[in-house]
């Protein structure tokens, strides 16, 4: 294993360059969050069926990320350990983005989403491991929180792009024969170019460090093949550090809430601000654009907040800071469905943006200090299982809860999201960071 001292200390500019590909990757996720539910509705899907139609994200994450993590830990190629996965995932992602808005049926849209999410997940896991590979522990906060900042910036741009096209003169109600707006088509094609080009820039400008002789020997000694990879995943789950197990409880509440929020926020705004639930109406198109602007705003908040969290995470501890941010997000989600004035939507969005910045950074700071460096890839992949399993639970339960328990009203879904965020805050408060098992909650051993 390479000693931490052998890793060069990177400047902020270099850390930004190494994470630039995260901007393209998260631009893709932003397009999905803002447009997949409406695309399904344009093609004739019911509101209750939306979670099932979006199973591609959690299913590919569950299947692909742990597998890619274990494989990349064992990879020793002329292109590097993580780079082959960056490139292959980027190609799939660009393909899925380009053809998604050309869908002429629900089946085609679902198929493109599976390809798109497969590409996203193949690229995502190595990117998380790459920070631990490339940076010393004292730069983990800035590494992971820079990824969080790029998440905010990229998703801000993704959500804002359709509105920018309307402001530039496009008609928001200009749709193709399948009711999909041309603004969505152009936004997805921009995403296809951006996702591939930024990932390519990152790996060319900040290439991986060469593996040490000890690392090459260790990789060569490991058994090869799918069975060995699956055994590695199983043993890693058995040996999971206590801090990582406690993060699983937080993730259950946190990611169920985020999946539900993304699926139903547009429909909540449609009812509360525009008084419509008809997907093909002009009011619904306005709700989609309004959510895009609001989401761009809260992702802009996340972009700024992520950098502000770097010193706060060192001082307060990532667990305590994350709990506080989740409380703010929960309050915002509970408040949002009661707002009827478009302009006031941006007030609770501040809390949601702060929470989103923390979600994409602080749990990884906690995780990176709790796992062995030689198993970073597989543990980052397993941690993603803690993200996608709650999403699968959401997909399995919401179709049955939406009518009987939530009265078929997306505003009630958002209230539930807020309550679950508060539960996540309580759960993460119990997590001790890094290797400081005996320290007070939220403290970091220096």
């Amino acid at each position: 294993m390479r000693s931490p001292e052998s890793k060069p200390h990177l400047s902020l500019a270099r850390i930004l360059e190494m994470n630039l590909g995260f901007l393209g990757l998260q631009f893709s996720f932003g397009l999905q969050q803002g447009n997949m539910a409406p695309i399904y509705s344009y093609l004739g899907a019911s509101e209750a069926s939306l979670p099932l139609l979006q199973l591609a994200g959690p299913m590919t994450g569950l299947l692909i990320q742990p597998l890619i993590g274990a494989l990349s830990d064992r990879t020793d190629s002329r292109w590097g350990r993580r780079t082959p996965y960056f490139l292959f995932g980027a190609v799939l992602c660009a393909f899925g983005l380009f053809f998604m808005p050309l869908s002429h049926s629900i089946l085609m849209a679902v198929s493109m989403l599976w390809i798109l999410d497969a590409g996203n997940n193949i690229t995502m896991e190595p990117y998380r491991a790459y920070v631990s590979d490339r940076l010393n522990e004292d730069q983990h906060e800035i590494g992971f929180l820079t990824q969080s900042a790029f998440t905010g910036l990229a998703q801000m741009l993704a959500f804002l792009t359709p509105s920018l096209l309307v402001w530039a003169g496009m008609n928001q109600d200009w749709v193709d024969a399948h009711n999909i707006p041309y603004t969505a088509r152009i936004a997805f094609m921009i995403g296809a170019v951006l996702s591939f080009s930024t990932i390519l820039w990152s790996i060319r400008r900040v290439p991986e460090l060469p593996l040490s002789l000890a690392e090459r020997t260790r990789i060569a000694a490991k058994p090869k093949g799918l069975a060995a990879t699956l055994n590695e995943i199983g043993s890693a789950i058995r040996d999971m550090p206590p801090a990582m197990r406690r993060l699983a409880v937080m993730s259950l509440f946190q990611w169920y809430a985020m999946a539900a929020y993304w699926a139903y926020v547009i429909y909540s705004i449609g009812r509360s601000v525009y008084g419509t639930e008809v997907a093909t109406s002009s009011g619904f198109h306005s709700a989609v654009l309004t959510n895009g602007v609001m989401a761009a705003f809260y992702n802009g908040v996340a972009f700024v907040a992520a950098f502000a969290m770097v010193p706060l995470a060192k001082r307060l501890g990532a667990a305590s800071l994350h709990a506080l941010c989740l409380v703010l997000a929960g309050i915002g989600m509970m408040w949002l469905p009661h707002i009827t004035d478009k302009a006031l939507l941006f007030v609770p969005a501040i809390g949601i943006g702060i929470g989103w910045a923390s979600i994409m950074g602080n749990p990884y700071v906690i995780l990176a200090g709790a796992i062995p460096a030689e198993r970073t890839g597989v543990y980052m992949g397993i941690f993603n299982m803690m993200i996608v399993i709650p999403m699968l639970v959401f997909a399995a339960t919401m179709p049955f809860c939406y009518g009987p328990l939530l009265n078929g009203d997306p505003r009630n879904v958002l209230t539930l999201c807020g309550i679950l965020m508060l539960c996540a805050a309580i759960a993460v408060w119990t997590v001790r960071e890094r290797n400081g098992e005996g320290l007070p909650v939220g403290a970091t051993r220096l």
Side-chain angles (χ1 to χ4, degrees):
M1 178 169 57
R2 185 187 292 111
S3 65
E5 291 75 20
S6 66
K7 300 177 186 178
H9 188 91
L10 296 187
S11 66
L12 177 59
R14 297 288 281 172
I15 292 173
L16 290 173
E17 279 194 298
M18 72 176 283
N19 284 317
L20 184 63
F22 221 72
L23 184 140
L25 186 63
Q26 292 298 331
F27 191 95
S28 169
F29 277 117
L31 289 174
Q32 288 179 244
Q33 291 167 22
N35 294 277
M36 280 315 305
I39 284 174
Y40 284 136
S41 293
Y42 300 145
L43 294 172
S46 68
E47 289 183 8
S49 68
L50 294 176
L52 291 174
L53 292 172
Q54 301 199 67
L55 274 175
M59 283 300 296
T60 54
L62 181 66
L63 298 173
I64 289 175
Q65 286 215 27
L67 185 62
I68 294 298
L71 287 173
S72 67
D73 281 345
R74 295 162 176 260
T75 297
D76 178 13
S77 73
R78 58 181 293 188
W79 299 284
R81 176 187 286 182
R82 317 291 181 188
T83 299
Y85 304 97
F86 289 158
L87 291 174
F88 182 60
V91 170
L92 285 182
C93 181
F95 180 89
L97 284 170
F98 187 86
F99 287 101
M100 174 63 73
L102 303 179
S103 297
H104 52 73
S105 66
I106 292 176
L107 178 60
M108 180 176 176
V110 169
S111 300
M112 288 300 104
L113 186 60
W114 277 86
I115 293 172
L116 172 57
D117 275 323
N120 281 337
N121 281 288
I122 289 170
T123 305
M124 172 71 78
E125 192 288 326
Y127 241 118
R128 294 296 192 188
Y130 184 42
V131 170
S132 292
D133 290 348
R134 201 66 169 78
L135 300 177
N136 287 313
E137 189 171 312
D138 64 351
Q139 289 195 301
H140 280 175
E141 285 91 352
I142 185 63
F144 285 114
L145 288 170
T146 296
Q147 288 188 348
S148 177
F150 273 129
T151 297
L153 177 61
Q155 295 195 8
M156 177 183 72
L157 295 173
F159 279 109
L160 199 57
T161 297
S163 291
L164 290 175
L165 293 172
V166 171
W167 293 337
M170 288 188 68
N171 184 346
Q172 70 174 29
D173 299 321
W174 182 27
V175 299
D176 64 17
H178 308 289
N179 298 313
I180 298 176
Y182 281 95
T183 53
R185 180 178 295 189
I186 294 175
F188 271 79
M189 292 178 179
I190 291 172
V193 174
L194 192 63
S195 63
F196 186 80
S197 61
T198 56
I199 290 169
L200 188 63
W201 179 275
S202 286
I203 60 181
R204 287 181 61 86
R205 293 290 297 169
V206 189
E208 295 184 71
L209 294 172
L211 294 174
S212 67
L213 180 60
E215 286 173 319
R216 290 181 181 275
T217 302
R218 177 179 56 78
I219 292 172
K222 285 189 172 183
K224 304 296 189 292
L226 180 60
T229 301
L230 295 176
N231 285 336
E232 169 67 12
I233 295 171
S235 68
I237 292 174
R238 289 193 302 271
D239 301 337
M240 191 182 300
M244 189 173 177
R245 294 182 186 276
R246 291 193 287 271
L247 283 173
V249 179
M250 172 211 73
S251 293
L252 177 62
F253 295 119
Q254 170 182 286
W255 287 104
Y256 191 108
M258 291 307 303
Y261 175 84
W262 291 328
Y264 287 101
V265 62
I266 291 172
Y267 300 88
S268 175
I269 293 172
R271 282 168 169 79
S272 63
V273 177
Y274 295 99
T276 183
E277 54 186 82
V278 180
T280 55
S281 68
S282 181
F284 187 81
H285 292 160
S286 295
V288 173
L289 293 177
T290 296
N291 175 66
V293 176
M294 184 188 73
F297 173 76
Y298 80 64
N299 276 286
V301 170
F303 175 70
V304 175
F307 287 113
M309 286 180 192
V310 175
L312 289 175
K314 290 180 179 292
R315 182 174 179 179
L316 301 177
S320 299
L321 178 59
H322 189 48
L324 175 61
C325 294
L326 290 177
V327 169
L328 295 176
I331 292 171
M333 288 179 178
M334 287 188 289
W335 185 5
L336 194 66
H338 302 285
I339 293 175
T340 57
D341 186 335
K342 173 182 174 181
L344 293 179
L345 292 172
F346 295 89
V347 180
I350 295 172
I352 296 171
I354 293 172
W356 182 230
S358 186
I359 287 170
M360 294 303 292
N362 283 315
Y364 295 95
V365 175
I366 301 169
L367 181 65
I371 58 179
E374 68 274 11
R375 303 179 89 177
T376 297
V378 67
Y379 273 122
M380 288 292 180
I382 290 170
F383 187 64
N384 188 68
M385 293 171 65
M386 300 178 188
I387 296 173
V388 299
I389 288 175
M391 293 182 175
L392 289 173
V393 174
F394 163 70
T397 58
M398 186 55 65
F400 302 101
C401 299
Y402 190 66
L405 299 181
L406 298 170
N407 201 31
D409 192 332
R411 292 168 291 189
N412 294 333
V413 177
L414 263 63
T415 300
L416 174 63
C417 293
I419 294 170
L420 292 175
M421 279 296 194
L422 298 182
C423 293
I426 295 170
V428 77
W429 194 261
T430 67
V431 178
R432 286 167 173 77
E433 300 174 56
R434 297 199 169 271
N435 301 315
E437 290 296 319
L439 297 179
V441 173
T444 304
R445 176 172 291 149
L446 301 177

